[in-house]
Amino acid sequence: MSPKQNAPYVKDETPGRKAWCSCGESVNQPYCDGSHKSKNTGKAPIIVEITETKKVAWCGCKQSKSGAFCDGTHSKL
Ligand code: FES
Ligand code: FES
């Protein structure tokens, strides 16, 4: 079963580059753990630069139209 979920992952983030898992296979959601390669998903992570300490709602369903960020699409799935 894929580790992705039908809800955002809300995380307290600190500044820096984060690699959001776009394929849904990482066991370290919402971050890429390299599974997109080992599972031949044909996908790649989206790199996001977080510039300040803040709460981030990362998309867990992988269907958001806003890339790495939850835009509410999960509630229509
Ligand atoms: Fe999903 Fe890398 S593990 S994009
Ligand atoms: Fe909300 Fe994906 S979890 S749009």
Side-chain angles (χ1 to χ4, degrees):
M1 199 178 86
S2 172
K4 68 182 178 183
Q5 66 178 20
N6 195 22
Y9 294 93
V10 180
K11 300 278 187 186
D12 289 311
E13 296 290 355
T14 51
R17 282 159 61 91
K18 320 287 168 172
W20 174 75
C21 168
S22 69
C23 75
E25 298 295 340
S26 171
V27 294
N28 185 32
Q29 293 292 330
Y31 315 108
C32 172
D33 71 352
S35 295
H36 64 276
K37 247 187 200 158
S38 55
K39 299 207 169 175
N40 286 320
T41 63
K43 300 211 168 157
I46 291 179
I47 308 299
V48 175
E49 184 83 39
I50 301 291
T51 55
E52 58 187 332
T53 299
K54 62 178 176 181
K55 240 183 222 328
V56 175
W58 300 101
C59 173
C61 72
K62 314 304 179 184
Q63 306 291 317
S64 173
K65 309 281 184 293
S66 300
F69 307 112
C70 173
D71 69 353
T73 299
H74 66 271
S75 61
K76 302 179 196 105
L77 298 177

